[in-house]
């Protein structure tokens, strides 16, 4: 009988400790609250957790306000994000500009010509202006060719103007 | 219209900054270290908020980042070979004006919590200060629920032994510790 009583007590004590650990002291069932008043072991456990809950809520005077730190971090991260978005855009624009300069350099009528000079020690660089190419090797362009004239003819045809 | 995770996170770390800061402070026991841990957590969280899938609540997810920041702070602190001083905690204890029995017990409890292992401290702070469930604590600490329960139980038992040194359980524990030393 005594052993049985002890076993029951132990089971309740285990249940009590587990409940207190999982939910704290505020939400204990009436059964467990009554038990801790009668059982010195659980009473001490209950009191310890009560003190722990109190100790865990202490606050010291702050040297720095955490919300200001949080706001600063948010601001900093937003700036970084906008830089991260801008960087690829800037590098893309730069690449396009470089490519355009290259294309302009290859196809433009302006050429850089390097003249080794008379005595090989001096070099001279000239800017030469090519004539607009009116023909290439395989394509023959009629002498009276004018792009504007052709365009005028096309327009006339479309609008039925005679 | 529901807010994006990023907007929710910004709102949470600004509005609940004190709560998170004090978790770091209670683990680290030093205001500067706690502020560093909190700041690093904010940076890491904002940087990785896209990876938040909503498996846990946003605050549980942020606690995970915060606890990791605290662990990093402690490992750097330990690597530097400095003794963990609890300067700010001591300052707090001595500033308590009430010299009653309860205040005395509170000091004892805080002193004992300071002596616990960092894992036990984490589990107890998240449970008794933040009210997190055992499941959420296991997510935050990256261990099983059984391990969390064991950390809490051992922590409470250590504090209880300090508060009630003459109780049967304490004498029993002391005897067992003595036996273990002899064998
Ligand atoms: Zn009991």
């Amino acid at each position: 009988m005594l052993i049985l009583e002890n076993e029951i007590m132990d089971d309740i004590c285990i249940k009590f400790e587990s409940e207190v650990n999982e939910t704290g002291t505020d939400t204990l069932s009436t059964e467990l609250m009554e038990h801790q008043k009668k059982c010195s072991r659980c009473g001490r456990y209950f009191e310890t957790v009560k003190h722990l809950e109190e100790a865990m809520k202490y606050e010291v005077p702050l040297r720095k306000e955490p919300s200001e730190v949080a706001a600063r971090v948010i601001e900093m991260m937003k700036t970084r994000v906008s830089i991260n978005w801008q960087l690829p855009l800037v590098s893309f624009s730069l690449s396009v500009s470089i490519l355009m300069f290259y294309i302009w350099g290859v196809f433009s009528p302006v050429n850089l010509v390097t003249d080794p000079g008379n005595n090989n020690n001096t070099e001279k660089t000239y800017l030469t202006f090519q004539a607009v190419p009116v023909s290439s090797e395989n394509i023959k362009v009629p002498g009276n060719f004018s792009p504007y004239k052709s365009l005028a003819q096309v327009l006339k045809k479309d609008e039925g103007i005679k | 219209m529901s807010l994006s995770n990023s907007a929710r996170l910004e709102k949470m770390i600004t509005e609940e900054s004190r709560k998170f800061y004090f978790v770091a402070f209670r683990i680290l026991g030093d205001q500067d270290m706690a502020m560093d841990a909190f700041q690093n957590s904010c940076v890491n969280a904002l940087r990785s908020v896209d990876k938040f899938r909503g498996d846990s609540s946003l605050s549980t997810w942020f606690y995970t980042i915060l606890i990791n920041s605290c662990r990093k702070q402690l490992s750097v602190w330990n690597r530097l070979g400095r003794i963990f001083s609890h300067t700010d905690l001591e300052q707090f204890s001595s500033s308590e004006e009430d010299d009653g029995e309860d205040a005395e017990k509170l000091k004892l409890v805080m002193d004992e919590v300071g002596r616990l292992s960092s894992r036990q401290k984490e589990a107890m702070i998240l449970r008794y200060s933040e009210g997190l469930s055992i499941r959420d604590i296991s997510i935050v600490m990256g261990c099983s629920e059984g391990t969390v329960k064991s950390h809490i139980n051992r922590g409470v038992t250590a504090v209880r032994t300090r508060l009630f040194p003459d109780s049967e359980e304490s004498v029993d524990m002391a005897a067992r510790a003595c036996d273990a030393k002899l064998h």
Side-chain angles (χ1 to χ4, degrees), chain B residues 40-89:
Chain B
N40 291 342
S41 307
C42 291
V43 171
N44 291 338
L46 287 165
R47 209 178 266 166
S48 55
V49 70
D50 295 342
K51 290 175 197 156
F52 173 68
R53 293 280 165 264
D55 300 332
S56 61
S57 71
L58 193 64
S59 63
T60 302
W61 179 76
F62 187 77
Y63 277 124
T64 312
I65 296 171
L66 185 67
I67 292 293
N68 281 327
S69 288
C70 290
R71 287 177 184 174
K72 270 186 199 153
Q73 287 276 349
L74 280 176
S75 78
V76 170
W77 191 259
N78 293 337
R79 258 206 311 276
L80 290 171
R82 292 155 90 171
I83 299 157
F84 189 39
S85 65
H86 280 272
T87 330
D88 288 318
L89 284 184

Side-chain angles (χ1 to χ4, degrees), chain B residues 157-169:
Chain B
T157 305
V159 175
R160 185 184 59 185
T161 309
R162 185 82 184 273
L163 281 175
F164 306 101
D166 301 326
S167 68
E168 289 163 46
E169 310 93 72

Side-chain angles (χ1 to χ4, degrees), chain A residues 17-112:
Chain A
E17 283 191 11
S18 154
E19 279 285 308
V20 173
N21 289 347
E22 285 175 39
T23 62
T25 57
D26 290 339
T27 52
L28 277 183
S29 66
T30 322
E31 182 204 9
L32 293 177
M33 274 305 271
E34 286 304 312
H35 170 72
Q36 67 87 18
K37 284 175 193 162
K38 288 181 223 153
C39 171
S40 58
R41 180 194 166 98
C42 292
R44 283 189 288 269
Y45 202 88
F46 181 81
E47 206 186 320
T48 304
V49 174
K50 268 266 175 215
H51 281 300
L52 270 168
E53 285 171 338
E54 198 187 334
M56 294 291 176
K57 287 187 176 82
Y58 65 81
E59 289 189 359
V60 287
L62 291 167
R63 287 191 213 132
K64 247 189 256 174
E65 184 53 58
S67 62
E68 285 171 17
V69 172
R72 210 174 53 229
V73 170
I74 291 168
E75 195 56 44
M76 187 190 80
M77 294 299 283
K78 276 186 178 159
T79 316
R80 279 191 63 169
V81 165
S82 88
I83 289 173
N84 284 347
W85 271 103
Q86 282 164 10
L87 267 178
L89 202 73
V90 168
S91 57
F92 175 74
S93 315
L94 265 172
S95 311
V96 169
S97 312
I98 290 166
L99 191 72
M100 299 247 311
F101 270 114
Y102 175 76
I103 292 168
W104 183 73
V106 168
F107 296 105
S108 78
V110 182
N111 271 354
L112 279 174

Side-chain angles (χ1 to χ4, degrees), chain B residues 134-176:
Chain B
I134 300 290
R135 187 179 173 271
D136 281 348
I137 299 172
S138 76
I139 294 169
V140 170
M141 291 181 63
C143 59
S144 71
E145 291 182 34
T147 309
V148 172
K149 284 180 191 171
S150 162
H151 282 319
I152 293 174
N153 198 267
R154 280 170 194 221
V156 176
T157 305
V159 175
R160 185 184 59 185
T161 309
R162 185 82 184 273
L163 281 175
F164 306 101
D166 301 326
S167 68
E168 289 163 46
E169 310 93 72
S170 302
V171 172
D172 205 33
M173 268 181 67
R176 260 184 274 159

Side-chain angles (χ1 to χ4, degrees), chain B residues 8 21 30 36 48 75 84 89 98 100 132 149 156 181:
Chain B
R8 279 172 59 214
Y21 166 79
D30 180 276
D36 282 349
S48 55
S75 78
F84 189 39
L89 284 184
D98 184 8
L132 260 67
K149 284 180 191 171
V156 176
K181 266 187 185 173

Side-chain angles (χ1 to χ4, degrees), chain A residues 93-150:
Chain A
S93 315
L94 265 172
S95 311
V96 169
S97 312
I98 290 166
L99 191 72
M100 299 247 311
F101 270 114
Y102 175 76
I103 292 168
W104 183 73
V106 168
F107 296 105
S108 78
V110 182
N111 271 354
L112 279 174
V113 175
T114 303
D115 180 3
N118 294 334
N119 54 2
N120 288 339
N121 292 328
T122 53
E123 276 190 1
K124 289 174 187 173
T125 305
Y126 302 98
L127 266 180
T128 62
F129 292 86
Q130 280 181 354
V132 178
V134 285
S135 68
S136 70
E137 253 180 293
N138 302 318
I139 302 166
K140 293 233 171 181
V141 180
N144 62 347
F145 171 80
S146 158
Y148 303 103
K149 200 177 159 188
S150 309

